[in-house]
């Protein structure tokens, strides 16, 4: 997304496609084909170099029942909402509007095959695929390399007299549904990968890591409520300094009705974060004109009740995909603001 005097133009979205095993695909004349293993680093370097005009990098991973075109539309919609919210209410984000360095995000979209029948069997198949891609397959390592690559190309904060004005980019992760699992696995993998870093938050910085992920926003996460105390325990030592913020809505049938039947437990996207390695802060999603003070988001885990906002949706999934709202853009902008 290029900067202008008005602030934003059309987004320059970079896509990173994965096959069913989690291996990256590249476009060819005969359609998408797996990237040869020997060329993986070169492919990442060619397609995922952050542009110098970007102040923030937003990595988005979609969820269940999302086609390739729908995933691209989702990122466009999200960045459009962010643009309108920022332009109309800059006063809510004073650290993003500092002279000489306007807030200009660059979106990276990770796409994966998530379509299935809207049934319990379809839900289980995509759940199992997401798990296999993230743990037994290649997706966690690939996305971890992507995050490590972006981190290594952010500027050294020690080179800037004021850390918030450094020439590097802030890194924000946004996931929806099963895409949240991908991101958590990726950050866990990066704990043993290249060092990374962050500013702004009071949570302890991982030892020996000058760069970290600056925020993680998980929209309607399709994982059990205790996932952070069981599956994703390694996040405690990962290159993550900012908060893990997860939304939930009791109108989300995918992570309520279907998740309860598939996993015998309600999902985070329906009931919020349950047990976790650190205390969980709880709050209601705020309106687009109501600020999020630093203190309400400055926690390792934040569970955001969006039941009054994410309400639209028919059929088996309910409001599971009603996450592209102005209030979501406001929450993302607030996280970016407090990262500085």
């Amino acid at each position: 997304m290029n900067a202008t005097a008005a602030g934003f133009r059309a987004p320059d979205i970079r896509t990173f496609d994965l096959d069913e095993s989690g291996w990256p695909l590249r476009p060819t004349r005969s359609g998408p084909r797996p990237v040869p293993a020997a060329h993986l680093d070169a492919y990442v370097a060619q397609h995922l170099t952050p542009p110098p005009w970007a102040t923030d990098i937003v990595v988005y991973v979609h969820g269940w029942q999302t086609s390739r075109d729908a995933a691209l539309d989702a990122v466009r919609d999200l960045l459009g909402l962010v643009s309108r919210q920022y332009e109309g209410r800059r006063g809510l984000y004073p650290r993003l509007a500092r002279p000489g360095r306007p807030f200009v995000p660059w979106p990276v979209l990770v796409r994966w095959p998530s379509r299935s029948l809207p049934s319990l069997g379809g839900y289980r198949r995509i759940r199992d695929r997401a798990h296999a891609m993230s743990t037994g397959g290649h997706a966690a390592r690939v996305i971890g390399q992507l995050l490590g690559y972006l981190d290594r190309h952010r500027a050294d904060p020690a080179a800037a007299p004021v850390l918030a004005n450094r020439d590097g980019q802030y890194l924000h992760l946004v996931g929806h549904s099963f895409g949240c699992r991908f991101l958590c696995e990726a950050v866990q993998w990066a704990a043993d990968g290249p060092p990374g870093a962050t500013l702004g938050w009071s949570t302890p910085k991982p030892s020996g890591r000058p760069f970290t992920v600056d925020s993680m926003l998980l929209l309607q996460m399709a994982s059990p409520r205790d996932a952070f105390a069981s599956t994703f325990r390694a996040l405690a030592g990962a290159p993550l300094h900012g908060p893990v913020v997860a939304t939930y809505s009791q109108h989300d049938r995918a992570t309520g009705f279907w998740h309860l039947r598939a996993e015998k437990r309600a999902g985070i996207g329906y009931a919020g974060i349950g047990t976790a390695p650190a205390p969980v802060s709880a709050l209601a999603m705020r309106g687009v004109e109501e600020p999020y003070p630093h203190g309400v988001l400055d926690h390792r885990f934040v569970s955001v009740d969006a039941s009054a906002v994410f309400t639209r949706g028919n059929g088996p999934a309910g409001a599971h995909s009603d996450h592209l709202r102005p209030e979501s853009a406001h929450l993302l902008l607030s996280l970016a603001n407090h990262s500085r």
Side-chain angles (χ1 to χ4, degrees), residues 14-43:
R14 293 298 173 91
T15 59
F16 198 79
D17 293 321
L18 305 173
D19 65 14
E20 292 187 6
S21 72
W23 192 257
L25 300 171
R26 63 179 179 180
T28 70
R29 292 181 179 178
S30 56
R33 292 290 184 269
V35 177
H39 298 161
L40 180 59
D41 289 344
Y43 181 81

mmCIF file of all heavy atoms in Angstrom, residues 14-43:
data_model
loop_
_atom_site.group_PDB
_atom_site.id
_atom_site.type_symbol
_atom_site.label_atom_id
_atom_site.label_comp_id
_atom_site.label_asym_id
_atom_site.label_seq_id
_atom_site.Cartn_x
_atom_site.Cartn_y
_atom_site.Cartn_z
ATOM 1 N N ARG A 14 0.734 -9.068 -1.425
ATOM 2 C CA ARG A 14 1.563 -10.206 -1.808
ATOM 3 C C ARG A 14 0.892 -11.488 -1.323
ATOM 4 O O ARG A 14 0.501 -11.580 -0.159
ATOM 5 C CB ARG A 14 2.965 -10.073 -1.216
ATOM 6 C CG ARG A 14 3.756 -8.932 -1.794
ATOM 7 C CD ARG A 14 3.978 -9.110 -3.308
ATOM 8 N NE ARG A 14 4.586 -7.943 -3.895
ATOM 9 C CZ ARG A 14 5.897 -7.760 -4.022
ATOM 10 N NH1 ARG A 14 6.724 -8.696 -3.580
ATOM 11 N NH2 ARG A 14 6.366 -6.661 -4.566
ATOM 12 N N THR A 15 0.770 -12.465 -2.204
ATOM 13 C CA THR A 15 0.155 -13.732 -1.838
ATOM 14 C C THR A 15 1.210 -14.827 -1.740
ATOM 15 O O THR A 15 2.200 -14.825 -2.459
ATOM 16 C CB THR A 15 -0.910 -14.145 -2.870
ATOM 17 O OG1 THR A 15 -0.302 -14.261 -4.159
ATOM 18 C CG2 THR A 15 -2.039 -13.121 -2.922
ATOM 19 N N PHE A 16 0.972 -15.740 -0.813
ATOM 20 C CA PHE A 16 1.857 -16.877 -0.588
ATOM 21 C C PHE A 16 0.954 -18.099 -0.497
ATOM 22 O O PHE A 16 0.234 -18.281 0.491
ATOM 23 C CB PHE A 16 2.646 -16.677 0.705
ATOM 24 C CG PHE A 16 3.867 -17.541 0.816
ATOM 25 C CD1 PHE A 16 5.034 -17.211 0.144
ATOM 26 C CD2 PHE A 16 3.865 -18.669 1.615
ATOM 27 C CE1 PHE A 16 6.172 -18.006 0.253
ATOM 28 C CE2 PHE A 16 4.997 -19.465 1.727
ATOM 29 C CZ PHE A 16 6.148 -19.126 1.044
ATOM 30 N N ASP A 17 0.947 -18.915 -1.559
ATOM 31 C CA ASP A 17 0.005 -20.026 -1.667
ATOM 32 C C ASP A 17 0.633 -21.342 -1.221
ATOM 33 O O ASP A 17 1.801 -21.620 -1.507
ATOM 34 C CB ASP A 17 -0.475 -20.164 -3.109
ATOM 35 C CG ASP A 17 -1.328 -18.989 -3.543
ATOM 36 O OD1 ASP A 17 -2.132 -18.515 -2.721
ATOM 37 O OD2 ASP A 17 -1.194 -18.536 -4.699
ATOM 38 N N LEU A 18 -0.178 -22.168 -0.546
ATOM 39 C CA LEU A 18 0.245 -23.471 -0.056
ATOM 40 C C LEU A 18 -0.650 -24.558 -0.636
ATOM 41 O O LEU A 18 -1.841 -24.327 -0.892
ATOM 42 C CB LEU A 18 0.158 -23.525 1.474
ATOM 43 C CG LEU A 18 0.920 -22.450 2.252
ATOM 44 C CD1 LEU A 18 0.588 -22.565 3.731
ATOM 45 C CD2 LEU A 18 2.408 -22.554 2.020
ATOM 46 N N ASP A 19 -0.082 -25.762 -0.824
ATOM 47 C CA ASP A 19 -0.903 -26.891 -1.253
ATOM 48 C C ASP A 19 -1.437 -27.631 -0.021
ATOM 49 O O ASP A 19 -1.271 -27.181 1.113
ATOM 50 C CB ASP A 19 -0.125 -27.813 -2.194
ATOM 51 C CG ASP A 19 1.057 -28.509 -1.519
ATOM 52 O OD1 ASP A 19 1.146 -28.512 -0.274
ATOM 53 O OD2 ASP A 19 1.915 -29.062 -2.248
ATOM 54 N N GLU A 20 -2.087 -28.784 -0.233
ATOM 55 C CA GLU A 20 -2.719 -29.496 0.873
ATOM 56 C C GLU A 20 -1.722 -30.029 1.892
ATOM 57 O O GLU A 20 -2.091 -30.324 3.034
ATOM 58 C CB GLU A 20 -3.577 -30.644 0.334
ATOM 59 C CG GLU A 20 -4.801 -30.153 -0.428
ATOM 60 C CD GLU A 20 -5.726 -31.293 -0.808
ATOM 61 O OE1 GLU A 20 -5.465 -32.435 -0.378
ATOM 62 O OE2 GLU A 20 -6.706 -31.035 -1.529
ATOM 63 N N SER A 21 -0.477 -30.177 1.509
ATOM 64 C CA SER A 21 0.543 -30.629 2.449
ATOM 65 C C SER A 21 1.220 -29.470 3.162
ATOM 66 O O SER A 21 2.024 -29.676 4.067
ATOM 67 C CB SER A 21 1.604 -31.458 1.721
ATOM 68 O OG SER A 21 2.429 -30.629 0.905
ATOM 69 N N GLY A 22 0.889 -28.236 2.747
ATOM 70 C CA GLY A 22 1.505 -27.058 3.354
ATOM 71 C C GLY A 22 2.727 -26.566 2.620
ATOM 72 O O GLY A 22 3.400 -25.644 3.083
ATOM 73 N N TRP A 23 3.033 -27.155 1.465
ATOM 74 C CA TRP A 23 4.202 -26.725 0.702
ATOM 75 C C TRP A 23 3.823 -25.536 -0.187
ATOM 76 O O TRP A 23 2.729 -25.494 -0.748
ATOM 77 C CB TRP A 23 4.744 -27.869 -0.147
ATOM 78 C CG TRP A 23 6.099 -27.558 -0.732
ATOM 79 C CD1 TRP A 23 6.388 -27.195 -2.003
ATOM 80 C CD2 TRP A 23 7.332 -27.549 -0.025
ATOM 81 N NE1 TRP A 23 7.738 -26.970 -2.148
ATOM 82 C CE2 TRP A 23 8.345 -27.174 -0.940
ATOM 83 C CE3 TRP A 23 7.694 -27.823 1.302
ATOM 84 C CZ2 TRP A 23 9.685 -27.066 -0.571
ATOM 85 C CZ3 TRP A 23 9.025 -27.714 1.665
ATOM 86 C CH2 TRP A 23 10.008 -27.340 0.728
ATOM 87 N N PRO A 24 4.717 -24.557 -0.369
ATOM 88 C CA PRO A 24 4.385 -23.371 -1.170
ATOM 89 C C PRO A 24 4.256 -23.677 -2.657
ATOM 90 O O PRO A 24 4.942 -24.552 -3.201
ATOM 91 C CB PRO A 24 5.549 -22.418 -0.905
ATOM 92 C CG PRO A 24 6.678 -23.286 -0.479
ATOM 93 C CD PRO A 24 6.062 -24.436 0.259
ATOM 94 N N LEU A 25 3.359 -22.947 -3.306
ATOM 95 C CA LEU A 25 3.117 -23.080 -4.734
ATOM 96 C C LEU A 25 3.555 -21.809 -5.449
ATOM 97 O O LEU A 25 3.468 -20.711 -4.893
ATOM 98 C CB LEU A 25 1.622 -23.305 -4.999
ATOM 99 C CG LEU A 25 0.986 -24.537 -4.366
ATOM 100 C CD1 LEU A 25 -0.527 -24.487 -4.541
ATOM 101 C CD2 LEU A 25 1.555 -25.816 -4.973
ATOM 102 N N ARG A 26 3.987 -21.984 -6.690
ATOM 103 C CA ARG A 26 4.309 -20.824 -7.512
ATOM 104 C C ARG A 26 3.510 -20.908 -8.809
ATOM 105 O O ARG A 26 3.224 -22.002 -9.306
ATOM 106 C CB ARG A 26 5.803 -20.764 -7.822
ATOM 107 C CG ARG A 26 6.340 -21.920 -8.628
ATOM 108 C CD ARG A 26 7.824 -21.750 -8.894
ATOM 109 N NE ARG A 26 8.366 -22.884 -9.659
ATOM 110 C CZ ARG A 26 9.634 -22.981 -10.023
ATOM 111 N NH1 ARG A 26 10.496 -22.024 -9.693
ATOM 112 N NH2 ARG A 26 10.060 -24.032 -10.697
ATOM 113 N N PRO A 27 3.104 -19.780 -9.371
ATOM 114 C CA PRO A 27 2.327 -19.810 -10.611
ATOM 115 C C PRO A 27 3.198 -20.237 -11.797
ATOM 116 O O PRO A 27 4.357 -19.826 -11.909
ATOM 117 C CB PRO A 27 1.850 -18.363 -10.769
ATOM 118 C CG PRO A 27 2.832 -17.552 -9.982
ATOM 119 C CD PRO A 27 3.296 -18.416 -8.858
ATOM 120 N N THR A 28 2.642 -21.071 -12.655
ATOM 121 C CA THR A 28 3.306 -21.481 -13.904
ATOM 122 C C THR A 28 2.272 -21.423 -15.026
ATOM 123 O O THR A 28 1.077 -21.232 -14.788
ATOM 124 C CB THR A 28 3.886 -22.907 -13.811
ATOM 125 O OG1 THR A 28 2.808 -23.848 -13.772
ATOM 126 C CG2 THR A 28 4.756 -23.067 -12.566
ATOM 127 N N ARG A 29 2.717 -21.630 -16.261
ATOM 128 C CA ARG A 29 1.795 -21.602 -17.393
ATOM 129 C C ARG A 29 0.746 -22.696 -17.309
ATOM 130 O O ARG A 29 -0.360 -22.565 -17.833
ATOM 131 C CB ARG A 29 2.578 -21.726 -18.702
ATOM 132 C CG ARG A 29 3.446 -20.513 -19.022
ATOM 133 C CD ARG A 29 4.174 -20.711 -20.338
ATOM 134 N NE ARG A 29 4.996 -19.541 -20.671
ATOM 135 C CZ ARG A 29 5.761 -19.463 -21.746
ATOM 136 N NH1 ARG A 29 5.810 -20.498 -22.599
ATOM 137 N NH2 ARG A 29 6.476 -18.376 -21.980
ATOM 138 N N SER A 30 1.085 -23.798 -16.668
ATOM 139 C CA SER A 30 0.147 -24.910 -16.521
ATOM 140 C C SER A 30 -0.557 -24.904 -15.171
ATOM 141 O O SER A 30 -1.140 -25.912 -14.779
ATOM 142 C CB SER A 30 0.892 -26.234 -16.714
ATOM 143 O OG SER A 30 1.979 -26.350 -15.815
ATOM 144 N N GLY A 31 -0.499 -23.783 -14.449
ATOM 145 C CA GLY A 31 -1.165 -23.667 -13.163
ATOM 146 C C GLY A 31 -0.178 -23.688 -12.011
ATOM 147 O O GLY A 31 1.042 -23.823 -12.202
ATOM 148 N N PRO A 32 -0.677 -23.568 -10.775
ATOM 149 C CA PRO A 32 0.211 -23.552 -9.603
ATOM 150 C C PRO A 32 0.972 -24.866 -9.464
ATOM 151 O O PRO A 32 0.396 -25.942 -9.617
ATOM 152 C CB PRO A 32 -0.749 -23.340 -8.430
ATOM 153 C CG PRO A 32 -1.989 -22.770 -9.038
ATOM 154 C CD PRO A 32 -2.092 -23.367 -10.400
ATOM 155 N N ARG A 33 2.260 -24.765 -9.185
ATOM 156 C CA ARG A 33 3.112 -25.938 -9.000
ATOM 157 C C ARG A 33 3.982 -25.733 -7.755
ATOM 158 O O ARG A 33 4.351 -24.607 -7.419
ATOM 159 C CB ARG A 33 4.014 -26.156 -10.219
ATOM 160 C CG ARG A 33 3.256 -26.571 -11.477
ATOM 161 C CD ARG A 33 2.698 -27.983 -11.350
ATOM 162 N NE ARG A 33 2.046 -28.443 -12.570
ATOM 163 C CZ ARG A 33 0.760 -28.284 -12.828
ATOM 164 N NH1 ARG A 33 -0.021 -27.631 -11.957
ATOM 165 N NH2 ARG A 33 0.214 -28.743 -13.948
ATOM 166 N N PRO A 34 4.345 -26.842 -7.051
ATOM 167 C CA PRO A 34 5.181 -26.699 -5.855
ATOM 168 C C PRO A 34 6.531 -26.044 -6.171
ATOM 169 O O PRO A 34 7.139 -26.313 -7.210
ATOM 170 C CB PRO A 34 5.375 -28.147 -5.388
ATOM 171 C CG PRO A 34 4.208 -28.883 -5.955
ATOM 172 C CD PRO A 34 3.927 -28.238 -7.271
ATOM 173 N N VAL A 35 6.985 -25.209 -5.283
ATOM 174 C CA VAL A 35 8.302 -24.602 -5.414
ATOM 175 C C VAL A 35 9.361 -25.665 -5.114
ATOM 176 O O VAL A 35 9.287 -26.332 -4.079
ATOM 177 C CB VAL A 35 8.458 -23.422 -4.426
ATOM 178 C CG1 VAL A 35 9.862 -22.833 -4.502
ATOM 179 C CG2 VAL A 35 7.416 -22.347 -4.712
ATOM 180 N N PRO A 36 10.328 -25.870 -5.987
ATOM 181 C CA PRO A 36 11.392 -26.840 -5.686
ATOM 182 C C PRO A 36 12.090 -26.485 -4.375
ATOM 183 O O PRO A 36 12.339 -25.305 -4.088
ATOM 184 C CB PRO A 36 12.336 -26.702 -6.880
ATOM 185 C CG PRO A 36 11.484 -26.167 -7.989
ATOM 186 C CD PRO A 36 10.495 -25.255 -7.321
ATOM 187 N N ALA A 37 12.386 -27.489 -3.577
ATOM 188 C CA ALA A 37 12.989 -27.254 -2.260
ATOM 189 C C ALA A 37 14.273 -26.442 -2.359
ATOM 190 O O ALA A 37 14.536 -25.569 -1.524
ATOM 191 C CB ALA A 37 13.254 -28.592 -1.566
ATOM 192 N N ALA A 38 15.058 -26.693 -3.409
ATOM 193 C CA ALA A 38 16.327 -25.972 -3.560
ATOM 194 C C ALA A 38 16.123 -24.498 -3.855
ATOM 195 O O ALA A 38 17.039 -23.701 -3.672
ATOM 196 C CB ALA A 38 17.149 -26.616 -4.677
ATOM 197 N N HIS A 39 14.921 -24.124 -4.304
ATOM 198 C CA HIS A 39 14.655 -22.733 -4.685
ATOM 199 C C HIS A 39 13.795 -21.999 -3.661
ATOM 200 O O HIS A 39 13.392 -20.863 -3.895
ATOM 201 C CB HIS A 39 13.953 -22.682 -6.048
ATOM 202 C CG HIS A 39 14.765 -23.257 -7.162
ATOM 203 N ND1 HIS A 39 14.203 -23.665 -8.364
ATOM 204 C CD2 HIS A 39 16.087 -23.514 -7.259
ATOM 205 C CE1 HIS A 39 15.146 -24.139 -9.156
ATOM 206 N NE2 HIS A 39 16.309 -24.059 -8.490
ATOM 207 N N LEU A 40 13.491 -22.652 -2.528
ATOM 208 C CA LEU A 40 12.553 -22.060 -1.582
ATOM 209 C C LEU A 40 13.040 -20.719 -1.042
ATOM 210 O O LEU A 40 12.304 -19.729 -1.031
ATOM 211 C CB LEU A 40 12.293 -23.032 -0.434
ATOM 212 C CG LEU A 40 11.314 -22.533 0.632
ATOM 213 C CD1 LEU A 40 9.959 -22.218 0.021
ATOM 214 C CD2 LEU A 40 11.171 -23.568 1.744
ATOM 215 N N ASP A 41 14.278 -20.656 -0.585
ATOM 216 C CA ASP A 41 14.787 -19.401 -0.024
ATOM 217 C C ASP A 41 14.784 -18.281 -1.058
ATOM 218 O O ASP A 41 14.425 -17.139 -0.749
ATOM 219 C CB ASP A 41 16.201 -19.599 0.527
ATOM 220 C CG ASP A 41 16.207 -20.443 1.791
ATOM 221 O OD1 ASP A 41 15.128 -20.608 2.396
ATOM 222 O OD2 ASP A 41 17.283 -20.942 2.162
ATOM 223 N N ALA A 42 15.149 -18.615 -2.291
ATOM 224 C CA ALA A 42 15.168 -17.615 -3.350
ATOM 225 C C ALA A 42 13.753 -17.147 -3.669
ATOM 226 O O ALA A 42 13.517 -15.958 -3.935
ATOM 227 C CB ALA A 42 15.840 -18.168 -4.604
ATOM 228 N N TYR A 43 12.792 -18.076 -3.636
ATOM 229 C CA TYR A 43 11.402 -17.715 -3.911
ATOM 230 C C TYR A 43 10.875 -16.763 -2.846
ATOM 231 O O TYR A 43 10.220 -15.757 -3.153
ATOM 232 C CB TYR A 43 10.551 -18.983 -3.963
ATOM 233 C CG TYR A 43 9.094 -18.725 -4.278
ATOM 234 C CD1 TYR A 43 8.671 -18.530 -5.588
ATOM 235 C CD2 TYR A 43 8.139 -18.696 -3.261
ATOM 236 C CE1 TYR A 43 7.344 -18.294 -5.881
ATOM 237 C CE2 TYR A 43 6.807 -18.461 -3.547
ATOM 238 C CZ TYR A 43 6.413 -18.260 -4.856
ATOM 239 O OH TYR A 43 5.092 -18.020 -5.130
#
